[in-house]
Amino acid sequence: MNISYKWLKEYVDFDLTAQEVCDALTSTGLEVDALEEVQSIKGGLKGLYVGKVLTCEAHPNSDHLHVTTVDLGKDEPSQIVCGAPNVAAGQKVIVADLGCVLYDGDQEFVIKKSKLRGVESNGMICAEDEIGIGNDHAGIIVLPEDAVVGTPAAEYYHLESDWLIEVDITANRADALSHWGVARDLYAWLKQNGYQTSLHRPDCSGFKVDNNDLPVSVTIENLEACKRYACVSITDCEVKESPDWLKNKLTTIGLRPINNIVDITNYIMMAYGQPLHCFDADMVKGHKIVVKTMPEGTPFQTLDGEEHKLSERDLAICNAEDPMCIAGVFGGKGSGTYETTRNVVLESAYFHPTWIRKSARRHGLSTDASFRFERGIDPNGTLYALQQAAILCKELAGGKVSMEICDVYPEPMKNPIVELNYDYVHSLVGKTIPVETIKSICETLEMKVLSETAEALTLEIPAYRVDVQRPCDVVEDILRIYGYNNVEIPTQLKGSLVIKGDEDQKHKLANLVSEQLVGEGFNEILNNSLTKAAYYGESDTLVRIMNPLSSDLNVMRQSLLYGGLESIQHNVNRKRQNLRFFEFGNVYTFDPAKKNDDDPMQAYKEQYHAGLWVTGKRVEGSWAHQNEDSTFYELSAYVENILRRIGVKPGMLVRKKSDNDIFSAGITIENRGGKKLIEMGIITKKLLKQFGLDAPVYYAELNWTALMKVIKKNEVLYTEISKFPAVSRDLALLVDNSVEFAQIEQIARQTEKKLLKKVELFDVYEGDKLPAGKKSYAVNFILQDEEKTMGDKQIEAIMNKLIANIKKQLNAELR
């Protein structure tokens, strides 16, 4: 929200500097993001002075140029070549001295010493449009005789700079989306800090009805969406350029002036926070306004020419026949104000925030008006804003008020009532604040004291404070005006000891693994939990957002994969192709079978996952090692290192071929109970193509929540290194092509659970020397007895049993 320092002073009296105002607003919770000095005329007329033309002679080499000497109050006059037809000796003029910067729209040019047709020129005598004080270019500016030579133009034109205060308004502070709203908070702060001040705004005594030539009726058919609607007609308006004071106010805060009528509505909105809309009265067929919803799919064209289809949940402002406006969001084509407009109807209303917010999101339209309506405006400010707008229409457009204000407000909204206990205030603030101070702050914030006891206040909250509904909200308001810095930090810290739980262990191990991965060359990424449903196709297990900001953020992620691919795409597009990323974050699923109206959360599940992405080259540009591409086996090693670090023993897991269609080849790691713990593999080329990626991407996703359950009962033990040697045996097994190594490992561990320490695949051979449909696995088995040296008979018995089980279950043969 852009606030003008000078505009703010029209509503509240103070002598603070602009920086002091910023500090005061920030202390009240209206955080100031920036402070910038601005001029109503670009450049602030710097380098421009009042001069006197001493001589004026025809240019020797031109039939329209003149050579002048101009007194600028310096030691010597300046010679300036001028092409204006009205230049003459003895005139007082405005001169741009050497080094002055002039502007033509966004273009700027510097006045330098130059030669025009061979004659030296040391400045420029200016016309109105050249310095930004008007549009006349017929000739130079001729000043009155009493203008003092050498006076800076900014001083002569009484040009004063303003300060633009950029306030970051939080979503709950809709009341501060105007100069009047900010003035209220500043007034309360000034009163609390002992300044002499007052809060004031123009009254409506200038409003009166001139005639009843253009009565307009109003009917509200949807009272849920529109609580209050008021309008008034103004006839015989002259639509023209706004006066300078109005244009300057709007341009200072970043709004573009359009015409006097539209500028008035924008001025009222920025001044008092009440959005207005102005209809061409000739477009209001039947002189009737009907506030209602339209049938689903009703075509509607907005002022910008875009075609829209109205929903049955879009509130429309209609005339006797057609919709003219999407209420609170955008006007319709033909319903605005044009140069030919003579009669207008001004609208001031209160619309339900939820209806406006959903309509704005549905149609992708966001305006200053919808921004305010969807956060909640003051229902009691509609008439004041309408009367002020009508007064300005009479003053600036010469119009006449041609009807009594039509105000339809069938069910007036009640102000919230809050019971505020003093002890509650003290306990929440952490300090005893004097009762009189509490009362004073409440009253300066326009909270009405309905009743009072020694222990509590009963307060009526003004309707515009949509964020104050409970006692804790009132305490927050009191504290921000009282001053957070005035609450001393206690010398004692009270706390209670707690026992570390599962969540602490989960995050501790996640931090340990993060450090490990960083040491292995990974970078941590952090992606949005909101993502696009298109990534997951047609799925009924998605957790959908009821009111999404956009189609790209309409569901909660089910996997960390897509956020990582977006990060890879971002880096690859910037020539960073060798990447190792990891992320820890929550994923979300919905189970329709568990849907329960009594317990809505039963169908939703949130789990903590870890994701690893590897792409590009493992080694590149090293003098000691040739370039080497990353592989799936590299990713597998990183995963194995994680499992070792968190204490997952190899015998606790089962590996299977993955059936996930995101992988062209991959494996799934489960616990003995069949719970999926890890999926990893090579991302399909089809999926990579969606992200514009050419190089292979290797991805692993670990269900961290499930892994924590696997290791929950693990005890941290240590043993001496065994004194007895391990035994290594290799087998070359001829198996069917469909057989996976995970099956061999599972059979081996089931056969010998105590002495078998490790099973590793070290070679795979497929070729024409083998029977059709067969392949060869070379597998290494490590056996070790921690208590004694194993004998040949014991080793032979174990290996024979292994071979027999593998042959029986997999139809394998020894080579």
Side-chain angles (χ1 to χ4, degrees):
M1 175 69 192
N2 289 335
I3 297 295
S4 161
Y5 171 79
K6 291 171 66 176
W7 194 345
L8 194 62
K9 294 190 76 170
E10 295 179 13
Y11 303 131
V12 60
D13 299 326
F14 60 85
D15 293 322
L16 305 179
T17 65
Q19 185 58 58
E20 289 171 336
V21 170
C22 292
D23 295 340
L25 293 177
T26 298
S27 72
T28 66
L30 301 180
E31 183 180 357
V32 174
D33 185 60
L35 176 65
E36 178 186 358
E37 186 176 10
V38 294
Q39 293 94 16
S40 56
I41 297 177
K42 193 170 184 179
L45 301 182
K46 292 179 180 178
L48 292 158
Y49 301 92
V50 174
K52 181 177 182 179
V53 181
L54 301 178
T55 64
C56 179
E57 299 177 358
H59 194 291
N61 300 318
S62 172
D63 58 358
H64 71 279
L65 295 177
H66 296 84
V67 180
T68 67
T69 55
V70 182
D71 180 11
L72 293 176
K74 299 180 180 180
D75 294 337
E76 295 182 0
S78 300
Q79 179 174 289
I80 299 175
V81 177
C82 179
N86 64 327
V87 64
Q91 291 175 335
K92 298 288 183 67
V93 293
I94 296 292
V95 179
D97 201 5
L98 295 177
C100 175
V101 180
L102 297 180
Y103 298 88
D104 182 10
D106 293 331
Q107 301 294 320
E108 62 179 48
F109 59 94
V110 181
I111 303 299
K112 300 178 181 178
K113 185 182 292 186
S114 61
K115 284 190 175 182
L116 297 176
R117 299 283 182 93
V119 177
E120 187 176 275
S121 181
N122 298 296
M124 175 179 170
I125 304 176
C126 301
E128 284 186 357
D129 65 330
E130 290 169 334
I131 64 174
I133 66 167
N135 299 316
D136 187 10
H137 192 70
I140 59 171
I141 302 168
V142 179
L143 303 177
E145 272 298 319
D146 58 358
V148 179
V149 172
T151 303
E155 182 180 328
Y156 178 81
Y157 285 107
H158 306 291
L159 184 68
E160 296 181 9
S161 62
D162 195 357
W163 291 91
L164 182 65
I165 303 170
E166 186 178 332
V167 183
D168 287 340
I169 305 294
T170 53
N172 64 325
R173 290 300 308 278
D175 63 292
L177 288 171
S178 66
H179 285 75
W180 176 246
V182 172
R184 284 186 298 226
D185 265 20
L186 182 59
Y187 168 75
W189 183 90
L190 290 167
K191 290 288 287 185
Q192 171 60 26
N193 287 275
Y195 290 89
Q196 292 295 321
T197 184
S198 63
L199 185 67
H200 44 79
R201 63 179 180 177
D203 61 32
C204 296
S205 59
F207 176 82
K208 68 172 185 174
V209 178
D210 298 302
N211 55 58
N212 287 289
D213 293 347
L214 187 58
V216 176
S217 64
V218 174
T219 303
I220 302 177
E221 293 187 3
N222 190 322
L223 289 174
E224 177 195 350
C226 180
K227 302 291 186 182
R228 187 176 193 177
Y229 192 97
C231 73
V232 67
S233 63
I234 315 288
T235 58
D236 298 330
C237 294
E238 181 185 358
V239 178
K240 58 183 179 180
E241 185 179 351
S242 296
D244 289 342
W245 70 265
L246 179 52
K247 290 192 295 183
N248 290 342
K249 282 182 181 292
L250 297 179
T251 54
T252 296
I253 61 173
L255 293 183
R256 180 175 63 88
I258 298 173
N259 60 52
N260 53 354
I261 302 297
V262 175
D263 293 349
I264 287 169
T265 61
N266 286 332
Y267 168 77
I268 294 296
M269 177 173 63
M270 293 302 176
Y272 310 116
Q274 172 67 52
L276 304 177
H277 188 73
C278 183
F279 298 102
D280 187 321
D282 296 333
M283 303 293 179
V284 184
K285 297 177 182 178
H287 290 171
K288 292 181 180 179
I289 290 178
V290 183
V291 185
K292 63 180 180 179
T293 55
M294 301 297 291
E296 185 74 32
T298 300
F300 181 76
Q301 189 176 31
T302 48
L303 279 168
D304 57 4
E306 292 292 324
E307 291 285 347
H308 295 266
K309 298 290 185 183
L310 296 181
S311 163
E312 61 181 8
R313 297 289 292 175
D314 288 328
L315 186 67
I317 309 300
C318 308
N319 55 36
E321 300 175 10
D322 307 306
M324 301 185 294
C325 177
I326 302 176
V329 181
F330 221 82
K333 189 172 181 62
S335 68
T337 306
Y338 308 92
E339 291 182 0
T340 56
T341 299
R342 289 294 173 264
N343 305 318
V344 299
V345 177
L346 294 175
E347 162 198 283
S348 181
Y350 178 89
F351 301 117
H352 195 288
T354 303
W355 278 73
I356 303 305
R357 182 172 63 251
K358 289 184 176 180
S359 287
R361 299 295 182 274
R362 189 178 296 118
H363 295 283
L365 298 171
S366 181
T367 60
D368 286 330
S370 67
F371 187 81
R372 286 159 176 77
F373 277 125
E374 64 190 40
R375 284 160 176 77
I377 63 168
D378 181 9
N380 299 324
T382 55
L383 291 188
Y384 176 84
L386 192 61
Q387 289 174 337
Q388 287 296 316
I391 291 170
L392 287 173
C393 284
K394 293 177 68 173
E395 291 179 0
L396 306 184
K400 297 180 178 63
V401 178
S402 297
M403 63 176 283
E404 296 287 346
I405 288 180
C406 181
D407 179 23
V408 181
Y409 195 17
E411 298 177 10
M413 298 172 64
K414 295 180 179 179
N415 292 343
I417 306 298
V418 173
E419 188 80 20
L420 185 67
N421 189 286
Y422 295 131
D423 288 340
Y424 176 75
V425 176
H426 305 325
S427 64
L428 206 58
V429 172
K431 177 183 180 178
T432 300
I433 299 177
V435 170
E436 288 305 315
T437 301
I438 293 174
K439 286 176 58 181
S440 173
I441 292 175
C442 290
E443 289 170 348
T444 56
L445 289 172
E446 299 185 0
M447 299 178 188
K448 184 179 180 181
V449 178
L450 298 180
S451 63
E452 179 182 359
T453 66
E455 294 80 24
L457 291 173
T458 302
L459 300 170
E460 181 180 2
I461 311 300
Y464 61 78
R465 290 306 305 273
V466 295
D467 60 317
V468 181
Q469 305 288 323
R470 305 163 298 171
C472 60
D473 299 328
V474 177
V475 175
E476 181 184 359
D477 251 22
I478 292 170
L479 185 54
R480 66 186 183 84
I481 301 300
Y482 179 75
Y484 291 98
N485 293 335
N486 293 326
V487 179
E488 298 81 4
I489 299 175
T491 56
Q492 291 183 332
L493 180 63
K494 298 180 181 180
S496 58
L497 297 176
V498 295
I499 300 172
K500 286 186 176 181
D502 294 341
E503 282 295 307
D504 301 288
Q505 178 71 357
K506 179 181 78 173
H507 289 293
K508 177 184 176 182
L509 290 176
N511 287 334
L512 286 173
V513 168
S514 296
E515 293 172 359
Q516 175 177 305
L517 289 170
V518 169
E520 292 174 333
F522 279 76
N523 286 298
E524 185 172 12
I525 59 176
L526 184 63
N527 289 297
N528 198 338
S529 294
L530 298 177
T531 186
K532 60 174 70 174
Y535 285 150
Y536 301 96
E538 296 296 328
S539 174
D540 59 355
T541 62
L542 294 174
V543 179
R544 300 183 182 275
I545 305 301
M546 293 179 65
N547 188 25
L549 295 174
S550 70
S551 59
D552 288 343
L553 301 170
N554 58 353
V555 298
M556 304 294 286
R557 63 185 176 189
Q558 284 192 335
S559 168
L560 302 179
L561 170 65
Y562 301 102
L565 290 178
E566 289 174 354
S567 298
I568 291 174
Q569 179 189 41
H570 182 85
N571 280 267
V572 168
N573 289 344
R574 287 154 181 79
K575 306 302 181 183
R576 294 183 61 87
Q577 298 168 333
N578 304 328
L579 304 169
R580 288 168 182 78
F581 288 152
F582 77 93
E583 179 180 11
F584 283 91
N586 291 322
V587 297
Y588 309 85
T589 53
F590 172 72
D591 186 353
K594 294 183 179 180
K595 190 173 182 181
N596 186 335
D597 293 337
D598 295 331
D599 184 8
M601 297 305 297
Q602 186 175 335
Y604 296 91
K605 182 187 290 185
E606 175 186 87
Q607 291 185 315
Y608 199 57
H609 280 204
L612 277 70
W613 296 261
V614 175
T615 185
K617 294 188 179 297
R618 191 173 78 86
V619 180
E620 184 178 42
S622 171
W623 63 270
H625 195 295
Q626 65 181 358
N627 290 352
E628 181 181 335
D629 291 332
S630 296
T631 65
F632 169 76
Y633 301 105
E634 180 188 348
L635 175 69
S636 180
Y638 294 134
V639 174
E640 292 290 345
N641 289 341
I642 291 173
L643 294 177
R644 290 193 188 96
R645 184 64 182 268
I646 65 176
V648 178
K649 300 175 183 177
M652 301 166 68
L653 305 177
V654 177
R655 289 169 172 78
K656 296 180 179 179
K657 183 177 180 180
S658 175
D659 58 358
N660 196 326
D661 60 6
I662 65 170
F663 297 127
S664 57
I667 64 171
T668 297
I669 301 177
E670 301 176 349
N671 64 10
R672 292 291 178 187
K675 174 69 175 178
K676 187 183 295 183
L677 304 175
I678 302 169
E679 277 195 299
M680 57 181 175
I682 308 169
I683 301 299
T684 63
K685 291 184 178 179
K686 179 181 177 182
L687 184 53
L688 294 180
K689 188 177 180 181
Q690 294 180 26
F691 291 86
L693 302 175
D694 298 323
V697 175
Y698 309 99
Y699 174 65
E701 184 153 349
L702 295 75
N703 186 332
W704 203 254
T705 301
L707 282 170
M708 293 303 100
K709 292 180 180 178
V710 170
I711 65 170
K712 186 174 182 180
K713 296 182 179 179
N714 280 9
E715 296 182 10
V716 179
L717 302 173
Y718 71 93
T719 57
E720 293 183 11
I721 297 175
S722 177
K723 301 175 182 178
F724 306 102
V727 177
S728 176
R729 291 290 185 270
D730 295 338
L731 294 179
L733 301 170
L734 188 66
V735 296
D736 294 337
N737 282 335
S738 61
V739 173
E740 299 174 6
F741 168 68
Q743 295 174 268
I744 297 173
E745 182 183 16
Q746 185 177 4
I747 292 169
R749 293 196 181 279
Q750 289 174 347
T751 301
E752 178 52 58
K753 298 179 180 179
K754 181 179 178 182
L755 301 179
L756 181 63
K757 302 300 182 183
K758 188 183 293 185
V759 183
E760 288 188 341
L761 177 68
F762 64 89
D763 187 45
V764 180
Y765 174 72
E766 295 177 292
D768 53 7
K769 296 181 180 180
L770 297 179
K774 297 288 185 177
K775 62 183 175 182
S776 174
Y777 277 154
V779 185
N780 174 250
F781 300 88
I782 303 295
L783 302 171
Q784 187 178 30
D785 191 329
E786 305 287 346
E787 298 176 356
K788 63 182 181 179
T789 301
M790 295 182 68
D792 289 343
K793 289 185 178 180
Q794 184 183 17
I795 296 168
E796 196 70 22
I798 293 173
M799 293 305 299
N800 287 339
K801 190 175 180 181
L802 280 173
I803 293 168
N805 285 343
I806 291 171
K807 283 183 175 181
K808 179 180 178 181
Q809 296 184 39
L810 299 179
N811 194 28
E813 299 177 22
L814 286 179
R815 292 185 66 200

